[in-house]
Amino acid sequence: MPDQQDPLEGSRMTLGGHLAELQKRLFRSVLVLAIAFGGAWWFKEYLVDQVMWPLRTSVERINAELVERYELDLAAHPEVPRTRYFRTDKPEDKELREPLEARPTALNIGDPFFFALNVSIYFACFFAGPFVLWQIWQFIAAGLYSREKRLVYLYFPFSILLFLAGVMFCFLWIVPTGMYYLSQTLPVEQVRMQLSLNGYFEFLSTMCLAMGAMFQLPLVMIFLSSIGLIEPRTYARYRPHFLIGALFVAGVITPGPDWISQVLMTAPIYVLYEVGIIIARWRARPRRHPEAGAA
C-alpha cells in the first residue's frame, strides 16, 4: 500500500531557510510601514484635522444649544443685557461671548509633536496593515494544512471588515455623542470644558479600538460553533445574560455615566450577537449529500 503524501512536503524548509524567509518578510513589512508613516507625516495637518471631527461636531452642537438657551433667557428677562451672553448688544448677533473651543489644549511643549506622531503612526498602521498581515500570513501559511488555510481565508477578510466597521461606527456616532453628553453633566457656567491633546487622543483611540474588537463577536461565535465547542442553541439560551454583560462592558468602556453612549455601544453589540446566532445555526445545519437524495 503506497504511503500517503505529506501535504507539507512541498513547503518544508531548513531552519536557515525559515530565518531567511522571516527576515525577508520583516524587511518588506518595515519598509512599507516606513513609507506609509512618511506619507502620513507629510499630510499630518490634514489627518489631524480629520481626527478632530468628533470634537468639532460635539462643540458646534453645544454652542448652538447655548445660543438657543441664552435667547430664551433674554426673552424671559429683558432687563438682562445682551452682552452678558453675546459679544454685542445687536439682536442679530449670535456670536457667543465665551464660546467653547473646538481645539484641544497643549499642556506641555512636546504635546503637539507627540499628538501628530501618534496620529501618523495609527494611519500608517491602517494603510500598511493589510500588506503587513499578508506578509505574516505568507510566512505562517507554509506550516499549515489545507483545511487550516481555508479557515483563515474564510474568516480573515470578514474580521478586517468588521473591525473597520466598528472603528468607523464609533468614530462617527459614539465618540461625538459621548463627548456631547459627558460635557453636559454640569452647566458651562459652572465648569468649562477644556480638553488636552493627550486626553482627547486617548479617549478617541480607546473607544474606537474597543469597538473594533467588539465587532469581532459574530466571527468568534461562528468559529466556536464550527469546531463544536459551543452549540448554537446555547447562545440563544444565554441571550438575557449576554445583554446584561454587554451593558456592563459598555458601562466600563464608556468614560462617563450618560446612558446615550452606553446604549449606542450596547445596541450594535447585541445586534451582532443575534447575527452570530443566526449564522451559527445556519452553518450547523446538516448538509444533504447528493447520494442521499438519489437513494
Side-chain angles (χ1 to χ4, degrees), residues 162 165-166 211-219 221-222 242 265-279:
L162 285 173
M211 201 64 188
M214 288 183 179
F215 265 55
Q216 306 296 308
L217 179 63
L219 290 183
M221 296 170 60
I222 297 167
F242 175 81
M265 180 166 281
T266 303
I269 298 175
Y270 184 76
V271 171
L272 291 172
Y273 185 77
E274 293 292 341
V275 171
I277 293 176
I278 294 173
I279 300 178

Side-chain angles (χ1 to χ4, degrees), residues 21-22 25 29 129-157:
E21 181 71 12
L22 178 61
R25 302 294 180 186
S29 300
F131 179 82
V132 174
L133 292 174
W134 175 252
Q135 293 298 312
I136 296 174
W137 165 244
Q138 288 292 95
F139 177 75
I140 296 176
L144 299 179
Y145 291 99
S146 299
R147 181 177 179 276
E148 296 169 335
K149 291 181 181 180
R150 285 196 300 270
L151 287 175
V152 174
Y153 285 131
L154 176 63
Y155 287 102
F156 184 73

Side-chain angles (χ1 to χ4, degrees), residues 18-38:
H18 277 293
L19 292 177
E21 181 71 12
L22 178 61
Q23 183 180 18
K24 180 179 69 174
R25 302 294 180 186
L26 287 177
F27 175 77
R28 292 177 179 176
S29 300
V30 172
L31 179 62
V32 172
L33 280 171
I35 295 174
F37 174 78

Side-chain angles (χ1 to χ4, degrees), residues 108-181:
N108 299 300
I109 193 169
D111 285 353
F113 170 78
F114 287 108
F115 182 78
L117 181 66
N118 287 329
V119 170
S120 300
I121 290 174
Y122 270 76
F123 273 90
C125 293
F126 175 80
F127 288 111
F131 179 82
V132 174
L133 292 174
W134 175 252
Q135 293 298 312
I136 296 174
W137 165 244
Q138 288 292 95
F139 177 75
I140 296 176
L144 299 179
Y145 291 99
S146 299
R147 181 177 179 276
E148 296 169 335
K149 291 181 181 180
R150 285 196 300 270
L151 287 175
V152 174
Y153 285 131
L154 176 63
Y155 287 102
F156 184 73
F158 291 102
S159 176
I160 295 295
L161 291 176
L162 285 173
F163 180 82
L164 295 178
V167 170
M168 293 306 300
F169 178 81
C170 186
F171 182 83
L172 296 175
W173 294 95
I174 297 179
V175 172
T177 304
M179 292 185 64
Y180 168 79
Y181 282 100

Side-chain angles (χ1 to χ4, degrees), residues 2-295:
D3 296 336
Q4 293 183 347
Q5 185 179 3
D6 187 355
L8 299 178
E9 185 64 32
S11 60
R12 293 189 184 279
M13 291 186 294
T14 62
L15 177 60
H18 277 293
L19 292 177
E21 181 71 12
L22 178 61
Q23 183 180 18
K24 180 179 69 174
R25 302 294 180 186
L26 287 177
F27 175 77
R28 292 177 179 176
S29 300
V30 172
L31 179 62
V32 172
L33 280 171
I35 295 174
F37 174 78
W41 184 260
W42 182 264
F43 295 100
K44 60 181 179 296
E45 293 183 6
Y46 172 78
L47 296 178
V48 167
D49 185 64
Q50 301 305 310
V51 169
M52 295 294 185
W53 180 85
L55 177 59
R56 289 198 304 270
T57 301
S58 59
V59 169
E60 289 173 1
R61 182 179 176 184
I62 294 172
N63 285 334
E65 292 184 358
L66 285 176
V67 170
E68 295 180 3
R69 196 181 82 187
Y70 292 157
E71 289 287 2
L72 293 175
D73 186 67
L74 290 173
H77 302 87
E79 71 279 3
V80 176
R82 188 177 180 82
T83 52
R84 178 177 179 180
Y85 302 124
F86 299 97
R87 289 191 178 274
T88 66
D89 56 359
K90 299 179 180 178
E92 65 274 9
D93 181 24
K94 304 295 182 181
E95 187 175 358
L96 293 172
R97 183 178 179 181
E98 295 182 352
L100 294 182
E101 287 286 342
R103 294 181 300 173
T105 303
L107 301 179
N108 299 300
I109 193 169
D111 285 353
F113 170 78
F114 287 108
F115 182 78
L117 181 66
N118 287 329
V119 170
S120 300
I121 290 174
Y122 270 76
F123 273 90
C125 293
F126 175 80
F127 288 111
F131 179 82
V132 174
L133 292 174
W134 175 252
Q135 293 298 312
I136 296 174
W137 165 244
Q138 288 292 95
F139 177 75
I140 296 176
L144 299 179
Y145 291 99
S146 299
R147 181 177 179 276
E148 296 169 335
K149 291 181 181 180
R150 285 196 300 270
L151 287 175
V152 174
Y153 285 131
L154 176 63
Y155 287 102
F156 184 73
F158 291 102
S159 176
I160 295 295
L161 291 176
L162 285 173
F163 180 82
L164 295 178
V167 170
M168 293 306 300
F169 178 81
C170 186
F171 182 83
L172 296 175
W173 294 95
I174 297 179
V175 172
T177 304
M179 292 185 64
Y180 168 79
Y181 282 100
L182 286 174
S183 62
Q184 297 295 300
T185 304
L186 294 173
V188 294
E189 294 84 4
Q190 191 173 24
V191 176
R192 185 171 182 83
M193 185 181 70
Q194 191 171 14
L195 284 176
S196 66
L197 279 172
N198 292 334
Y200 174 68
F201 187 80
E202 182 180 357
F203 173 77
L204 179 67
S205 59
T206 301
M207 295 287 290
C208 289
L209 292 178
M211 201 64 188
M214 288 183 179
F215 265 55
Q216 306 296 308
L217 179 63
L219 290 183
V220 175
M221 296 170 60
I222 297 167
F223 177 76
L224 294 177
S225 296
S226 299
I227 63 178
L229 191 60
I230 299 179
E231 293 291 333
R233 61 175 178 268
T234 304
Y235 295 131
R237 186 187 312 143
Y238 287 96
R239 183 183 286 113
H241 302 78
F242 175 81
L243 179 58
I244 295 175
L247 287 170
F248 176 77
V249 172
V252 172
I253 294 177
T254 52
D258 66 291
W259 62 272
I260 298 294
S261 57
Q262 293 181 13
V263 170
L264 282 175
M265 180 166 281
T266 303
I269 298 175
Y270 184 76
V271 171
L272 291 172
Y273 185 77
E274 293 292 341
V275 171
I277 293 176
I278 294 173
I279 300 178
R281 285 174 173 171
W282 174 74
R283 288 185 58 85
R285 289 186 307 174
R287 302 288 192 268
R288 290 188 59 190
H289 296 284
E291 295 80 2

